[in-house]
């Protein structure tokens, strides 16, 4: 959907077969009314078979923190991926509350 942006995943070092990762999720409210929260769930899929590595919801300090009209809010989303998936393909699926989805593809390095 328009107004959703995701930064590249930033990976940490291996820790018992998993690597912590974070990304910045930005959501734009193009409405004239406040938007009740970011309302986006992020799924990280790894490998050619798109195996779900982690799922997280974005938030702004509390569940329904509003996004002001015609403004953008950004939140850090923390996830993890199996160490064996690095290097390799990654897909980040961002699904909004109403079911609209956007997928971003890249590579874990």
């Amino acid at each position: 959907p328009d107004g959703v942006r995701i930064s590249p995943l930033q990976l940490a070092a291996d820790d018992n077969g998993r690597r912590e990762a974070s990304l910045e999720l930005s959501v734009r409210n193009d409405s004239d009314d406040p938007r009740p929260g970011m309302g986006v769930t992020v799924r990280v899929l790894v490998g050619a078979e798109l195996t779900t590595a982690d799922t997280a919801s974005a938030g702004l300090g509390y569940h329904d923190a509003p996004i002001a009209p015609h403004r953008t809010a950004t939140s850090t989303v923390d996830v993890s991926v199996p160490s064996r998936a690095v290097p390799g393909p990654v897909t980040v699926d961002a699904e909004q509350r109403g079911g609209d989805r956007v997928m971003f593809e890249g590579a874990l390095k």
Side-chain angles (χ1 to χ4, degrees):
D2 292 337
V4 175
R5 291 186 317 233
I6 293 180
S7 73
L9 282 169
Q10 300 298 314
L11 291 171
D14 177 74
D15 182 18
N16 289 332
R18 302 251 344 144
R19 292 183 69 170
E20 297 299 316
S22 64
L23 58 84
E24 298 294 315
L25 173 72
S26 296
V27 176
R28 173 130 179 100
N29 178 7
D30 289 327
S31 170
D32 290 331
D33 298 314
R35 176 188 171 124
M38 294 187 90
V40 176
T41 299
V42 173
R43 282 189 324 138
V44 178
L45 309 147
V46 296
E49 58 284 339
L50 299 176
T51 302
T52 300
D54 207 351
T55 302
S57 294
L60 297 170
Y62 62 93
H63 176 69
D64 285 1
I67 301 173
H70 306 288
R71 297 284 189 256
T72 300
T74 301
S75 177
T76 299
V77 179
D78 295 317
V79 294
S80 69
V81 298
S83 295
R84 64 178 158 54
V86 182
V90 63
T91 299
V92 178
D93 174 22
E95 182 176 2
Q96 291 190 324
R97 221 177 260 134
D100 290 337
R101 301 171 91 142
V102 62
M103 295 180 101
F104 301 89
E105 296 178 344
L108 295 171
K109 300 178 188 179

